[in-house]
Amino acid sequence: MSDKDHILVVDGMALLFRGFFATSFTGNFMHNSKGVPRNGLFGFLNYFTNSMETFQPTHVVCCWDMGSKTFRNELYDGYKSNRDAPPEELIPQFDLAKEIVTAFQVPNIGVTGFEADDCIGTLAKQLHKEHEVTVVTGDQDLLQLVDENINIAIMKKGQGNYDVFTADNFYEKKSLTPHQIIDLKGLMGDSSDNYPGIKGVGEKTAMKLLQQYETIDNMLADKENLTKGMQKKLEQYAEDLTISRKLAAIHTEVPLTFSMEEALFNKDLSTIHSYLQTELEFKNPGRWLDKLQESS
């Protein structure tokens, strides 16, 4: 493969959830004649095709969660326990979104027991030594993966807006290194994933400590020079800190199979055109497909 291969790794979960919630608040679920809701799929297609148009990859792969339980639930009972079940209108759209990806001849990757994030991290770390990798997501947790040839494109409000983090601009944007993101989340916890960190330590304090000490380990080694209040917190919440660091770290050695050949982006979009029109009853698939053919 040439050095110019550019692999787009898509966070399918992020795109589908964003597509669903962007339209469902109005109660518009866009049912087809079979009564299947398609609003999430409509949004997913907007984001998926826009990411390909924007980043012009040679190869594309899409990653998914496989069920709600992962190794993190075994580490910590409360992990993500604060999240509601997906809305019933969204449930049939998960498999259909994967079918859309398959119709694009793009591989779907997911491994039971791991999150989509872990699959994304594994692929990025495997591929970046020889290829350029861009990850499209809405999930700031993935920023810890930024490295040479690994760019993280965070989706912003409005279609086609991305905040792209690279090895060159990361420190300027975050005042931390990518690896410090794990320790940042270890210290402050994560309310959306429902794990604790150190009670009473927010982002500001966590940032200050990491800028001073670089890592949690360095900070713990110099514990006696911290304020009495912080020493007390570290003793009281030692277990929470240990577990939060483990939960925050993306696992980059998921046992997955990936083939560059299968991920090569095929510019022949006739199969997907027919699938979107016939199976999903979208009246105008050209709204998504024409721009990809124009940009090829």
Side-chain angles (χ1 to χ4, degrees):
M1 292 285 172
S2 75
D3 290 342
K4 293 202 169 70
D5 282 328
H6 180 192
I7 300 134
L8 182 70
V9 182
V10 176
D11 182 346
M13 304 301 294
L15 272 63
L16 183 58
F17 271 92
R18 184 176 282 242
F20 179 82
F21 288 111
T23 47
S24 63
F25 72 94
T26 61
N28 175 19
F29 296 115
M30 298 172 71
H31 294 88
N32 67 7
S33 67
K34 301 179 194 104
V36 178
R38 299 167 303 160
N39 66 311
L41 304 175
F42 185 88
F44 177 85
L45 277 158
N46 284 342
Y47 299 131
F48 188 58
T49 54
N50 180 270
S51 68
M52 289 190 271
E53 185 190 13
T54 302
F55 297 106
Q56 295 288 302
T58 54
H59 297 71
V60 187
V61 60
C62 191
C63 293
W64 300 91
D65 289 352
M66 299 296 281
S68 57
K69 296 288 182 209
T70 69
F71 73 94
R72 290 182 182 84
N73 298 97
E74 289 165 29
L75 282 173
Y76 183 66
D77 275 350
Y79 184 68
K80 290 192 177 178
S81 64
N82 57 334
R83 296 202 182 179
D84 295 332
E88 62 180 282
E89 292 86 359
L90 177 56
I91 291 167
Q93 298 186 66
F94 283 109
D95 285 341
L96 289 169
K98 290 177 193 169
E99 283 179 25
I100 287 172
V101 172
T102 300
F104 271 100
Q105 298 177 56
V106 166
N108 286 301
I109 288 187
V111 179
T112 306
F114 297 95
E115 292 181 28
D117 288 8
D118 302 312
C119 295
I120 291 167
T122 299
L123 285 169
K125 293 297 180 189
Q126 276 178 9
L127 296 166
H128 80 112
K129 290 181 177 67
E130 291 176 36
H131 314 289
E132 186 180 353
V133 178
T134 298
V135 176
V136 170
T137 182
D139 186 352
Q140 300 266 344
D141 293 358
L142 288 162
L143 293 177
Q144 63 187 264
L145 299 172
V146 168
D147 203 339
E148 287 304 321
N149 295 330
I150 301 177
N151 306 323
I152 305 292
I154 301 284
M155 300 161 74
K156 294 167 72 182
K157 272 199 177 144
Q159 200 182 308
N161 294 328
Y162 303 91
D163 194 2
V164 182
F165 291 82
T166 68
D168 291 336
N169 71 20
F170 194 90
Y171 192 83
E172 186 190 326
K173 283 175 179 267
K174 289 305 244 184
S175 304
L176 292 173
T177 64
H179 199 71
Q180 285 177 301
I181 295 293
I182 300 169
D183 278 2
L184 179 73
K185 291 193 65 184
L187 288 165
M188 57 186 274
D190 186 322
S191 56
S192 71
D193 286 344
N194 199 41
Y195 59 84
I198 297 175
K199 200 171 181 186
V201 171
E203 186 172 13
K204 201 172 166 186
T205 305
M207 289 280 291
K208 198 174 160 190
L209 288 167
L210 289 172
Q211 282 159 358
Q212 185 178 348
Y213 287 105
E214 199 175 322
T215 67
I216 287 173
D217 291 335
N218 290 347
M219 181 188 77
L220 293 173
D222 193 41
K223 199 159 73 169
E224 68 275 8
N225 288 317
L226 294 167
T227 64
K228 288 281 183 282
M230 184 53 76
Q231 288 181 41
K232 195 176 171 188
K233 281 186 199 300
L234 285 172
E235 280 158 29
Q236 195 175 350
Y237 300 110
E239 203 177 318
D240 287 345
L241 177 60
T242 303
I243 204 78
S244 296
R245 282 171 94 185
K246 282 183 183 164
L247 293 169
I250 289 171
H251 185 80
T252 57
E253 290 177 13
V254 176
L256 53 79
T257 49
F258 171 75
S259 148
M260 282 289 284
E261 205 177 326
E262 284 173 22
L264 188 65
F265 183 56
N266 186 345
K267 298 293 197 317
D268 174 9
L269 302 174
S270 52
T271 317
I272 179 74
H273 192 285
S274 151
Y275 173 78
L276 293 175
Q277 203 159 43
T278 317
E279 292 296 317
L280 293 176
E281 300 174 23
F282 283 120
K283 287 192 178 71
N284 177 22
R287 73 166 77 231
W288 298 297
L289 307 181
D290 293 351
K291 59 189 180 185
L292 292 183
Q293 281 167 328
E294 283 160 20
S295 66
S296 61

